[in-house]
Amino acid sequence: LFPPAVDAGHRAVIFDRFRGVQDVVVGEGTHFLIPWVQKPIIFDCRSRPRNIPVITGSKDLQNVNITLRILFRPVTAQLPRIFTSIGEDYDERVLPSITTEILKSVVVSTA
């Protein structure tokens, strides 16, 4: 059993079976944890692209198909809060709804 290693560009949040999610974000490198008590949840903190297709209507009631490409990354200091409130798949849950709303408002106001 090897100690968990956090790769470059990644951060880890420690889940403790007795105390829950720790507020400390662990940086890159090798770290020692208590086996079966503590578990690392590793997040990728590098900027990553994502394409989100949106179908929206313009002012003159025509359908507009747009694909938005965004670069995103989590705020490192907020990783424990992101994990407890949203989960590991925060990008799947948050990004589509935010980008859809913003794109719809931009298309309606400019088209």
Side-chain angles (χ1 to χ4, degrees), residues 18-72:
F18 301 116
R19 294 182 289 170
V21 177
Q22 303 298 308
D23 289 333
V24 179
V25 176
V26 178
E28 302 149 348
T30 303
H31 305 279
F32 293 99
L33 300 175
I34 303 168
W36 299 288
V37 175
Q38 293 178 326
K39 174 185 164 191
I41 294 96
I42 298 177
F43 286 90
D44 188 354
C45 291
R46 299 173 292 184
S47 292
R48 292 179 287 164
R50 181 172 171 124
N51 292 331
I52 299 175
V54 177
I55 299 173
T56 185
S58 64
K59 276 191 222 176
D60 54 350
L61 303 176
Q62 293 180 354
N63 282 339
V64 178
N65 295 327
I66 298 177
T67 300
L68 177 67
R69 181 178 173 93
I70 59 171
L71 291 174
F72 72 96

Side-chain angles (χ1 to χ4, degrees), residues 57-97:
S58 64
K59 276 191 222 176
D60 54 350
L61 303 176
Q62 293 180 354
N63 282 339
V64 178
N65 295 327
I66 298 177
T67 300
L68 177 67
R69 181 178 173 93
I70 59 171
L71 291 174
F72 72 96
R73 64 183 174 86
V75 177
T76 306
Q78 296 294 321
L79 285 178
R81 185 169 168 229
I82 291 171
F83 177 69
T84 55
S85 61
I86 303 171
E88 288 181 78
D89 59 342
Y90 66 92
D91 55 336
E92 298 288 332
R93 294 182 180 198
V94 174
L95 293 178
S97 62

